[in-house]
Amino acid sequence: GALPGKLSVAGKAFPAPQTRATRVESNPMPQTPNILLLMTDQQRHDSLGYSRQGEATDTPHLDALAAGGVIFEHAYSSDTACIPARSSLLTGLLPHRVPRGGGDRPRAKTASGLALTEGYWTLAHALRDAGYDTALFGKMHFSPIRAQHGFDTMAMCEHLPAGYPRDEADDYRRWINATGREDVRFQRPGMPRVFPYAQEYHPTHWITHHARQFLDAPARRSKPWFAVVSYTDPHTPYSPPEPYASRHHAADQVLPQSGMESNNGLPWPFSNITVRHPRGTFFEPDRVDHHPAEHLPNVLAAIRAGINHVDDKIGELLAGVDLSNTLVIFLSDHGEYGGHPLSDPYSVALWRDSRCCGVDATNTSGTLWRMCTFCTIWKRIPEKRTTLLISPAIARCLRPTCRS
């Protein structure tokens, strides 16, 4: 158990949260702390157990982490889609100010056109200049996939249909193909199914494996490090591995109440989208009533299984991290619909959406989605915040070690 006055996080004990003033005097952050940024893709705030007191949890390790740190109770993503939200996270800029590539290239409104252009300030560049080893594992929607944005070590597992060339291959695809197995991630990714291979071949396991290799290397003990571990779940594809898939059943999912009437009275541009629901476009809204009745319960079960899988892997990572000298930050790039209407406090959306893909709303509503965000220092933060503030905030916290 934990020592008196301490909290247990992933099997370790460390001091209970204190106010900022008390912390500075009694337990100062080292001059060069390690920084571990854990990110999921498209995860709702209310999917974490600590936010649903008294209910069974799918996220015991993240719940323990939250219990010992800061909880940003009203954190909002800077954008409703993956690519601009992640660019804001790295640069501290609002999406419309992020320098983007693409121009007239094919599908320039997707990854190739929305991705951050190389050669600009990022948090990773700043930390590397300050003497940190920098690493990225998983998904970040760079274009090209291994674009140079300040990370010395990279192992990429991307969302390849999102504007990349058809023959593009990330590091995960090269690896899975080298084992003699087909990369099945994007074969009908919106249809829930069990991952066809053993758990050790799943992207969540692959990302964790590469992150652990980096964190366990002897070099980590002689130099501060900054590692971004960016999981692809619970975004599509909905393909959790066993035993996680069998733990969550469609019949047990609590479905959102019908809420299309909440869109009545919206201004015409928004009501036109939600009522006429145009089909066949890249940013097509994907409503619940576009699918059979059993689709949404199956999606929600697969999402919960994916989150449960990620939580276990985060527990494995944290078990090998020196939490006394590491700032751990957990967040999602944005939230999701989960079949909820506009009135839902955890995902502001203009129509009920079962596919939960953020790009469906990017160029239509401009709304912000609530996300899950917390870190291992100080106290509960009730004020509204956006993820674009994280990069400059970290840089400020590390001064004079790192200057932005």
Side-chain angles (χ1 to χ4, degrees):
L3 298 174
K6 298 195 173 187
L7 290 169
S8 178
V9 176
K12 297 186 177 185
F14 67 96
Q18 305 171 48
T19 65
R20 183 187 297 246
T22 303
R23 183 180 178 89
V24 169
E25 294 176 4
S26 63
N27 189 26
M29 177 69 73
Q31 286 295 309
T32 53
N34 304 315
I35 304 171
L36 176 59
L37 177 59
L38 303 168
M39 184 187 303
T40 53
D41 192 355
Q42 197 165 282
Q43 183 174 356
R44 291 169 61 89
H45 169 271
D46 58 355
S47 67
L48 297 173
Y50 80 84
S51 68
R52 306 190 312 273
Q53 298 297 326
E55 298 183 26
T57 179
D58 302 326
T59 56
H61 298 99
L62 288 173
D63 297 344
L65 190 67
V70 184
I71 300 174
F72 293 83
E73 295 181 320
H74 294 281
Y76 286 82
S77 176
S78 59
D79 201 279
T80 56
C82 305
I83 304 173
R86 290 163 184 266
S87 295
S88 287
L89 176 69
L90 285 177
T91 63
L93 298 174
L94 285 168
H96 72 280
R97 297 181 63 87
V98 171
R100 299 174 296 179
D104 296 327
R105 286 188 290 170
R107 305 188 77 180
K109 291 185 178 180
T110 58
S112 63
L114 296 176
L116 175 65
T117 301
E118 291 180 311
Y120 288 85
W121 186 96
T122 66
L123 178 61
H125 278 308
L127 291 173
R128 185 170 66 180
D129 291 345
Y132 277 70
D133 284 336
T134 57
L136 169 62
F137 307 99
K139 174 182 178 180
M140 196 54 78
H141 272 305
F142 291 162
S143 181
I145 288 178
R146 300 181 69 85
Q148 296 304 303
H149 292 303
F151 294 100
D152 295 316
T153 302
M154 300 173 71
M156 305 306 293
C157 183
E158 275 296 349
H159 194 95
L160 293 180
Y164 293 106
R166 292 185 179 277
D167 58 349
E168 190 84 19
D170 57 10
D171 297 324
Y172 173 83
R173 173 167 291 179
R174 294 187 183 94
W175 171 80
I176 194 73
N177 288 343
T179 70
R181 293 167 177 83
E182 184 182 5
D183 183 2
V184 297
R185 286 175 294 171
F186 306 112
Q187 297 176 6
R188 304 187 71 191
M191 301 303 295
R193 61 185 176 186
V194 179
F195 187 66
Y197 309 132
Q199 182 190 152
E200 58 262 32
Y201 297 100
H202 193 275
T204 295
H205 182 95
W206 184 89
I207 292 168
T208 306
H209 170 75
H210 283 277
R212 289 187 65 180
Q213 282 190 322
F214 174 82
L215 296 177
D216 292 343
R220 304 293 87 76
R221 295 190 289 270
S222 60
K223 189 177 182 181
W225 50 264
F226 169 55
V228 177
V229 183
S230 180
Y231 291 102
T232 57
D233 276 354
H235 194 290
T236 52
Y238 302 129
S239 58
E242 294 290 7
Y244 299 94
S246 295
R247 294 177 184 174
H248 303 277
H249 305 283
D252 299 331
Q253 305 311 307
V254 178
L255 302 183
Q257 296 180 352
S258 178
M260 287 300 293
E261 65 278 359
S262 66
N263 297 318
N264 295 337
L266 286 173
W268 176 83
F270 299 144
S271 63
N272 184 54
I273 294 168
T274 61
V275 176
R276 299 185 184 183
H277 47 85
R279 306 302 303 274
T281 60
F282 185 83
F283 293 107
E284 167 192 326
D286 192 16
R287 284 173 35 170
V288 169
D289 58 10
H290 290 164
H291 299 275
E294 65 272 14
H295 180 70
L296 180 57
N298 287 328
V299 166
L300 297 179
I303 287 174
R304 287 188 60 189
I307 291 171
N308 191 197
H309 187 201
V310 168
D311 182 80
D312 276 356
K313 294 304 174 183
I314 286 177
E316 291 181 11
L317 278 181
L318 293 179
V321 172
D322 178 10
L323 294 176
S324 67
N325 190 38
T326 304
L327 171 64
V328 181
I329 304 169
F330 171 79
L331 52 82
S332 58
D333 57 353
H334 55 78
E336 66 166 35
Y337 295 128
H340 289 262
L342 174 63
S343 57
D344 172 51
Y346 298 109
S347 68
V348 181
L350 295 179
W351 53 85
R352 298 180 69 221
D353 182 301
S354 58
R355 189 173 62 184
C356 313
C357 187
V359 295
D360 290 338
T362 304
N363 290 344
T364 52
S365 67
T367 53
L368 299 178
W369 292 339
R370 190 174 178 183
M371 54 189 291
C372 36
T373 307
F374 51 80
C375 61
T376 54
I377 56 172
W378 299 334
K379 59 183 179 180
R380 190 173 291 258
I381 306 294
E383 296 84 2
K384 293 183 179 180
R385 296 288 188 270
T386 61
T387 53
L388 67 94
L389 299 175
I390 290 178
S391 292
I394 292 176
R396 285 196 299 271
C397 288
L398 297 178
R399 288 176 179 168
T401 302
C402 173
R403 296 179 180 177
S404 60

